[in-house]
């Protein structure tokens, strides 16, 4: 493995799923100006639109918030190929 290609500044970061409020901690090098207090400790905050707790693949629900209507457009476009 090559030396010196990996970042050195890993630290604990709070990731927050904005769709359901779930917060999880993991190590990251991502930069952010916001912070979040988790159990009395302040961590840098990264906001997510979707995570493992809200993604349809992991939750088993096919509901996905789509403001542009792309999912409906896709389903209508390919409905004619559906086997009956």
């Amino acid at each position: 493995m090559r030396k010196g290609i990996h970042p050195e500044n890993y630290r604990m970061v709070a990731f927050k799923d904005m769709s359901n409020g779930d917060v999880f901690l993991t190590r990251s090098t991502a930069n952010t100006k916001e912070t979040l207090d988790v159990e009395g400790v302040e961590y840098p905050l990264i906001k997510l639109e979707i995570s493992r707790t809200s993604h349809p693949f992991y939750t088993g629900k096919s509901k996905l918030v789509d403001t542009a209507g792309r999912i409906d457009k896709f389903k209508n476009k390919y409905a004619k190929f559906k086997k009956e």
Side-chain angles (χ1 to χ4, degrees):
M1 188 182 252
R2 288 181 25 194
K3 302 274 185 208
I5 61 171
H6 297 289
E8 299 288 331
N9 61 339
Y10 281 104
R11 70 205 186 287
M12 291 302 290
V13 176
F15 286 86
K16 183 175 183 179
D17 186 336
M18 301 309 290
S19 65
N20 64 6
D22 183 46
V23 176
F24 60 94
L25 298 173
T26 189
R27 292 178 46 158
S28 177
T29 61
N31 294 325
T32 182
K33 295 178 181 175
E34 298 181 71
T35 59
L36 179 69
D37 186 55
V38 178
E39 298 178 359
V41 180
E42 193 169 291
Y43 295 102
L45 173 65
I46 303 291
K47 294 180 179 177
L48 304 172
E49 291 182 21
I50 196 163
S51 71
R52 68 182 187 273
T53 59
S54 62
H55 193 281
F57 179 80
Y58 297 107
T59 61
K61 299 176 184 174
S62 63
K63 181 181 177 187
L64 179 65
V65 177
D66 182 33
T67 57
R70 292 178 294 212
I71 294 173
D72 292 331
K73 184 178 176 183
F74 178 84
K75 286 181 180 179
N76 290 336
K77 182 176 180 180
Y78 292 100
K80 60 185 172 187
F81 298 111
K82 185 178 179 182
K83 292 183 179 181
E84 294 185 31

